[in-house]
Amino acid sequence: MSHEVDHVRTFADGRVIALEIEWNNKDPFFDRDLENFKRLHAEGAISVGVIVTRGSSLQDDMVQLVRRFATERGLESSDDLGSLGLTPTPGRRPMLLGVCEQAARPLQTLGRLVS
């Protein structure tokens, strides 16, 4: 069984950070991600692995945090993420586009969802 890490960024000095996001984390997935990062680190493929899971405080503040991050960096679409060196995996891109659209135009998006 293989698993693709959600986000990977390589820095100019060769350091590599891997980020895994699990919104509805269950023990088997956390264990899988932790073991995957331990193996990748031991093999020298990553410098550090980060696992983000959803808790109530993060969930409550997420929209505000993302909007502030995007505004401070002048991000207007998912295409702008490339300027930060971020490239969503093909599986995450459609979901990300939907989230960006909803954050940019929440009332219009909500209207389409309920009509």
Side-chain angles (χ1 to χ4, degrees):
M1 174 190 244
S2 67
H3 173 73
E4 185 174 308
V5 175
D6 291 338
H7 305 277
V8 178
R9 182 167 183 186
T10 303
F11 292 87
D13 65 1
R15 291 177 299 147
V16 178
I17 295 179
L19 172 66
E20 189 68 43
I21 301 172
E22 294 291 349
W23 288 131
N24 296 310
N25 204 18
K26 307 284 189 283
D27 286 343
F29 298 115
F30 180 79
D31 292 343
R32 174 204 63 199
D33 295 338
L34 187 59
E35 287 301 317
N36 191 33
F37 281 164
K38 284 170 52 178
R39 181 181 51 79
L40 290 170
H41 186 267
E43 293 175 2
I46 65 172
S47 305
V48 67
V50 178
I51 301 173
V52 177
T53 61
R54 179 177 58 181
S56 59
S57 62
L58 178 60
Q59 181 68 26
D60 293 344
D61 295 338
M62 183 57 69
V63 172
Q64 178 186 359
L65 291 169
V66 171
R67 279 200 180 124
R68 187 178 80 210
F69 178 86
T71 300
E72 288 174 356
R73 287 157 182 82
L75 304 176
E76 296 182 7
S77 75
S78 62
D79 294 332
D80 295 337
L81 294 175
S83 68
L84 300 174
L86 301 173
T87 306
T89 59
R92 294 276 186 214
R93 189 162 176 75
M95 182 272 309
L96 180 61
L97 292 173
V99 170
C100 288
E101 181 180 336
Q102 183 178 355
R105 294 180 293 285
L107 295 179
Q108 295 89 334
T109 302
L110 180 60
R112 282 200 317 272
L113 293 174
V114 296
S115 58

